[in-house]
Amino acid sequence: MRTVRCWAAVTAVIAPSCAALAGEAPFGLAWGPVATVPRPLKVGREANLTALHYPRGWRPAVGPETAEVVLVVCREEGLQQVVWVGLPLAGDAFARARQAIRDEGVRRYGEPDPGPSPGSEVWPGGGALLATREVGDGRRELVMTTFGPGYAACSAAHRAATGHPAGAHVADLIGHDGP
């Protein structure tokens, strides 16, 4: 339950600032109504959310360090969240990959604030979050999520239907209890 509260707080901070981000989403996609998307491997639905899962090698998850991409499409607002999961890494390889992603976040959105879980960072002005997911064997995956301009409305509708905000699903993905 602490996870849901922490992620609800993060999405409350990020989502209102997303209004300025209308337009292009990651991977050349656009925020909002979706006419076509690549065929996903898996589709998950809950209330007003549809999650489209793309494993490594399936467009848009074609980057060399990409394990999975999840597109979250809201019934009314269209595409409002993109979740990128990196390959499992450890040691220096993990540190280099994290720094490269952080540097790109700083270039695009400015300096981040501490996020809701240990080692996570959030870019309130850019509607993005960088976190880590433990996968065992001392390896971790980086998880970067970005939010569209209608995310706050989408999350509010999701909370009304389910009792939890849309961001609770990313918290589950990362597997942190949060502070």
Side-chain angles (χ1 to χ4, degrees):
M1 194 60 177
R2 288 186 345 216
T3 299
V4 172
R5 283 194 306 267
C6 290
W7 286 86
V10 166
T11 57
V13 169
I14 292 174
S17 63
C18 291
L21 294 177
E24 194 169 310
F27 308 112
L29 300 168
W31 298 122
V34 177
T36 61
V37 293
R39 183 175 174 209
L41 174 67
K42 180 172 82 171
V43 176
R45 289 189 175 87
E46 183 181 65
N48 64 322
L49 300 180
T50 300
L52 307 171
H53 296 261
Y54 300 91
R56 179 179 176 84
W58 289 45
R59 199 171 61 85
V62 294
E65 296 182 6
T66 300
E68 179 181 23
V69 169
V70 180
L71 305 179
V72 179
V73 180
C74 302
R75 184 177 300 129
E76 298 297 323
E77 298 81 10
L79 178 65
Q80 290 301 313
Q81 186 175 20
V82 176
V83 180
W84 173 88
V85 180
L87 292 174
L89 299 170
D92 290 341
F94 176 82
R96 282 191 303 275
R98 188 183 190 297
Q99 189 61 50
I101 291 169
R102 185 187 190 284
D103 289 348
E104 181 62 17
V106 169
R107 186 186 73 73
R108 288 183 185 202
Y109 311 124
E111 286 295 325
D113 294 325
S117 59
S120 67
E121 297 179 283
V122 63
W123 284 267
L129 171 96
L130 175 60
T132 301
R133 175 168 80 168
E134 301 291 330
V135 294
D137 299 346
R139 297 180 306 152
R140 297 175 284 174
E141 294 172 325
L142 292 164
V143 178
M144 181 81 172
T145 186
T146 55
F147 306 91
Y151 185 79
C154 175
S155 186
H158 192 71
R159 179 188 291 276
T162 65
H164 61 266
H169 300 287
V170 172
D172 290 343
L173 174 73
I174 295 169
H176 284 292
D177 286 337

